[in-house]
Amino acid sequence: DSNSLTKLPDSFANLSRLEVITLEANPFESFPCNFMQGWGCLRELKLDTEHVVTLPDGAVHTSTELMPLEVMSLGLKKCLEYRQRLRACRATGSLDLSVMALWFMPASVLHMQMLTALNFTGNCLIALPDTLTALGSLTSLALNDNRLSLVPASIAELTRLKILSLMDNRLQQISPELGSMTQLDVLNVTNNEDLECPPQEIHRQGVKAILSFLRRVCRGTSHGQVELAGLQLETIMIPWPRLAPTLKALVLSRNALKVLPDEIGTLTALTALWVDNNQIATLPGMIARLSTLKSLALDNNAISGLSPGVCELVSLERLTLDNNQLRFLPPKLGDLQNLTLLSAANNRLTMLPASLASVASLRNVSLMGNPLAPLPPALRERLDIEMDIERQ
């Protein structure tokens, strides 16, 4: 930035992996967009985009207009069309800036506080400005067919918005704060193949389900608990980095999850993880990082072998494994020296690890519905443990 560039070198066309570029305070003669279409990874672009130009206004008169550099680069006809659209919106409150090759929302537009509808479809937006919240009268916002990867939290400040359309972008996630937009009737995010939060199974349930999901996730940032039970989730993708420092409880019961993502290991403040009534067969090794976890519910899944990482959960107090397919419990289960309750009813267990006898805190063991051999002698001597088992 702050150079004397009037155009970009042709060699810049090869920067296909470019993510951030700052070009402010350069006297560009036209918008350098000939090869910018190839910058598919671009997520931040800074450039002085509006210039004062003189345009014909009738047969004799001329007028000065504030014109985006992108539009100026397309010639006089496009400049006149842009001006005409601005003038039309002053009467209707609805501004159509679709298919104008715009990479930015013009600053002058963001000062049009009377706008009730803004159509920005078919442009090249890579990010939404925080100053968009100045358009507090907006009820309809169309941002289809751009290059957006994120719907920022600031959009939630548009409290009158009823229609938000974001089709055909590059969205990866929608900020949870959008769940507070109680006036929103339409939220269209179709054809965003990389969108993970909320997941597709939530999108299919409609705008109310999307907003409810976002509200639940947002609650995790303020209250330390995310409750996502009974939502038919097949995958779980939430803003892990944002939740990691404060999330205490994550409830994923009664869904259709087959795996837990490795990102679960980033939730190092977690004290309760309930994943009962899903279809999980194995647990990720990253679960071992949950050093503060006290309660782990894995009932009613398809687990045949307990991950060694569970034996590293040094703070664990309650472990429930009922109605799985377990044939054995790992010998190192005795390393869980804070364990008070172990429930593994209705599995296929034939024996228990003798190391459990060394867990001084253990008070309740439930193993009904397992073909158990006689307990290890050390466990039989633990009269302080309430044993719920079928003796063979």
Side-chain angles (χ1 to χ4, degrees):
D1 56 351
S2 299
N3 289 293
S4 55
L5 293 173
T6 57
K7 65 177 183 178
L8 292 180
D10 292 341
S11 59
F12 275 40
N14 300 320
L15 302 178
S16 58
R17 296 185 179 180
L18 187 68
E19 295 186 8
V20 178
I21 186 168
T22 300
L23 299 168
E24 292 171 309
N26 283 287
F28 284 106
E29 297 171 352
S30 62
F31 193 74
C33 61
N34 290 338
F35 46 71
M36 286 174 63
Q37 297 289 345
W39 293 350
C41 297
L42 195 65
R43 56 181 174 80
E44 184 175 336
L45 170 64
K46 294 183 179 179
L47 178 68
D48 302 320
T49 65
E50 289 190 287
H51 293 248
V52 176
V53 296
T54 301
L55 296 175
D57 193 9
V60 178
H61 301 287
T62 60
S63 63
T64 56
E65 305 281 350
L66 201 57
M67 189 69 56
L69 193 57
E70 306 101 294
V71 177
M72 291 171 58
S73 299
L74 298 176
L76 177 61
K77 183 177 179 180
K78 204 68 174 178
C79 289
L80 293 173
E81 180 185 349
Y82 180 86
R83 184 181 65 181
Q84 181 60 32
R85 294 191 189 190
L86 289 182
R87 291 183 174 181
C89 95
R90 294 189 182 104
T92 64
S94 177
L95 178 58
D96 179 9
L97 290 181
S98 61
V99 197
M100 296 295 291
L102 294 169
W103 286 73
F104 299 87
M105 278 201 176
S108 56
V109 170
L110 296 171
H111 288 93
M112 300 172 69
Q113 297 182 4
M114 81 296 188
L115 282 182
T116 58
L118 175 59
N119 183 2
F120 221 81
T121 296
N123 286 290
C124 304
L125 277 181
I126 59 174
L128 295 176
D130 288 337
T131 48
L132 184 61
T133 59
L135 303 181
S137 297
L138 277 182
T139 60
S140 176
L141 178 59
L143 299 165
N144 307 312
D145 193 17
N146 278 277
R147 299 182 171 200
L148 298 171
S149 60
L150 172 69
V151 183
S154 57
I155 288 289
E157 296 180 34
L158 298 175
T159 55
R160 297 183 182 180
L161 204 61
K162 295 183 177 181
I163 300 171
L164 176 58
S165 190
L166 293 149
M167 295 187 296
D168 300 296
N169 275 277
R170 301 174 181 180
L171 294 181
Q172 296 177 1
Q173 61 177 272
I174 300 173
S175 292
E177 283 77 7
L178 268 69
S180 66
M181 301 182 71
T182 55
Q183 297 297 312
L184 204 62
D185 295 324
V186 176
L187 175 58
N188 196 334
V189 290
T190 56
N191 294 332
N192 284 278
E193 296 179 358
D194 297 327
L195 185 58
E196 296 178 331
C197 181
Q200 292 297 323
E201 51 268 30
I202 296 296
H203 300 160
R204 291 192 290 266
Q205 297 175 46
V207 63
K208 289 184 178 180
I210 294 174
L211 295 180
S212 174
F213 180 92
L214 293 174
R215 279 195 297 272
R216 294 183 187 211
V217 174
C218 192
R219 184 176 176 82
T221 64
S222 57
H223 293 77
Q225 176 173 327
V226 171
E227 198 278 307
L228 299 175
L231 298 182
Q232 306 174 35
L233 295 177
E234 299 170 12
T235 58
I236 173 64
M237 188 58 67
I238 53 181
W240 305 102
R242 185 173 172 191
L243 291 169
T246 56
L247 191 64
K248 300 292 185 182
L250 178 58
V251 182
L252 300 170
S253 309
R254 305 190 314 279
N255 282 294
L257 298 173
K258 294 182 178 180
V259 295
L260 289 178
D262 285 340
E263 287 87 350
I264 202 80
T266 65
L267 304 178
T268 52
L270 206 63
T271 59
L273 175 59
W274 298 336
V275 204
D276 53 287
N277 293 279
N278 279 278
Q279 302 168 24
I280 293 171
T282 60
L283 297 175
M286 297 291 285
I287 200 169
R289 296 190 177 186
L290 304 181
S291 59
T292 61
L293 195 67
K294 294 183 178 182
S295 177
L296 177 58
L298 296 167
D299 315 79
N300 298 293
N301 278 285
I303 300 171
S304 58
L306 205 56
S307 166
V310 173
C311 300
E312 299 180 38
L313 301 175
V314 295
S315 300
L316 199 62
E317 298 176 0
R318 297 175 59 89
L319 176 59
T320 58
L321 298 158
D322 300 344
N323 300 303
N324 278 282
Q325 300 171 19
L326 291 168
R327 295 183 179 275
F328 66 93
L329 295 175
K332 289 194 172 185
L333 207 60
D335 292 348
L336 302 179
Q337 288 295 306
N338 289 298
L339 197 65
T340 62
L341 179 144
L342 171 63
S343 184
N346 300 314
N347 278 278
R348 302 174 185 178
L349 299 173
T350 58
M351 64 180 66
L352 289 182
S355 61
L356 281 174
S358 69
V359 183
S361 58
L362 192 60
R363 291 293 179 270
N364 296 92
V365 175
S366 178
L367 296 166
M368 293 292 289
N370 284 284
L372 283 173
L375 296 178
L379 265 178
R380 289 201 301 269
E381 294 172 3
R382 285 286 305 272
L383 301 180
D384 57 335
I385 299 177
E386 183 178 338
M387 294 278 188
D388 189 8
I389 62 174
E390 291 177 347
R391 306 192 188 279
Q392 302 295 312

